Amino acid sequence: MKEVKIRDSVLKEAAEAGMDEFVKAFLKAIHEAIGGNLNAENMHELSSDQITLLGWEALHDEVMDGGFVQLIHNGWGAFIFRNPFDKAIREWGLPQLCSLIRKGHKLYFAHHDEIERDCSDEEFMALFEKHPAFDELDDEFLEHEEEFTASIAHYIDEHIEDFATIEQ
C-alpha cells in the first residue's frame, strides 16, 4: 500500500479554508503519492477509499466544467460507470449521488460509443445537442454539488486514517 501523507499544519489550514480545500488537501496528497497520475500500475497501491476519492475528483471536475457528456468523452465514463463507484459513494452516505450515477449509468451504456469516439471540437459540441438526456443529470449534480462535497468532506474527516497518515 502506498503511504499517503499530509502534514497536520496543511490539514488544519485546509480545514479552516472550508470543505473544498479540505477535500483538495487529501486529493493533492494522493496525487503526490502516485506521481500525479492514476494508472493500472499504481491503482493497486491505493485503498478503495482513496480510489473512490479520485473518482469523485474526476466526476466533480468534469461535470462542473462540461457535464456528463464531457466526463464520458474525456475517458472517465468507464471508471465511473463500469466500476462499483456508485456503491462506494452510497456507503459514504451519499444516496442521492449514488442514484444520480445510476441514472447516468443507463445513459452511458446507451450512448458511450458515440460520445467516446475521437471527434473535432465542432462534433464534440454537437454531442451536447444530440444527448439532451444528460442535461437533467448535469443540472441535478450542479444543484447538489455543495451538499455532495460537504458529505465527502465529512466522510473523510470521520475516516482520515483510510485516506492519509497525518504527520506533525
Side-chain angles (χ1 to χ4, degrees), residues 1-8 10-11 22-38 42-54 156 159-168:
M1 209 41 100
K2 184 71 82 176
E3 187 169 17
V4 176
K5 301 175 186 178
I6 299 179
R7 296 190 58 78
D8 187 52
V10 170
L11 192 55
F22 182 75
V23 172
K24 285 178 187 176
F26 285 90
L27 285 163
K28 182 178 179 190
I30 294 167
H31 281 290
E32 287 173 0
I34 60 173
N37 187 30
L38 181 64
N42 63 23
M43 188 179 288
H44 72 278
E45 298 175 350
L46 297 175
S47 71
S48 60
D49 277 340
Q50 291 166 333
I51 293 168
T52 300
L53 186 58
L54 291 173
I156 293 169
H159 301 89
I160 285 179
E161 66 282 352
D162 296 331
F163 292 92
T165 301
I166 310 304
E167 297 182 317
Q168 295 304 318

Side-chain angles (χ1 to χ4, degrees), residues 141-156:
F141 185 90
L142 293 172
E143 184 178 326
H144 298 283
E145 181 271 337
E146 285 186 25
E147 296 165 44
F148 296 154
T149 301
S151 293
I152 287 169
H154 178 74
Y155 182 85
I156 293 169

Side-chain angles (χ1 to χ4, degrees), residues 102-121:
R102 288 183 177 167
K103 290 177 201 169
H105 185 267
K106 293 172 186 164
L107 292 170
Y108 169 78
F109 280 100
H111 304 289
H112 76 92
D113 286 334
E114 179 183 9
I115 296 171
E116 290 173 340
R117 70 175 175 78
D118 286 336
C119 60
S120 68
D121 288 346

Side-chain angles (χ1 to χ4, degrees), residues 19-20 24 27 55-72 74 76 80 97 100 124 128 134-135 137-150 152:
M19 63 188 172
D20 291 315
K24 285 178 187 176
L27 285 163
W56 161 253
E57 177 185 40
L59 175 69
H60 178 270
D61 292 354
E62 294 290 342
V63 173
M64 292 300 288
D65 188 49
F68 279 88
V69 169
Q70 179 174 305
L71 171 91
I72 295 165
N74 286 343
W76 287 102
I80 299 298
L97 181 55
L100 178 65
F124 172 70
F128 293 94
F134 286 102
D135 292 348
L137 300 179
D138 296 343
D139 292 345
E140 186 177 341
F141 185 90
L142 293 172
E143 184 178 326
H144 298 283
E145 181 271 337
E146 285 186 25
E147 296 165 44
F148 296 154
T149 301
I152 287 169

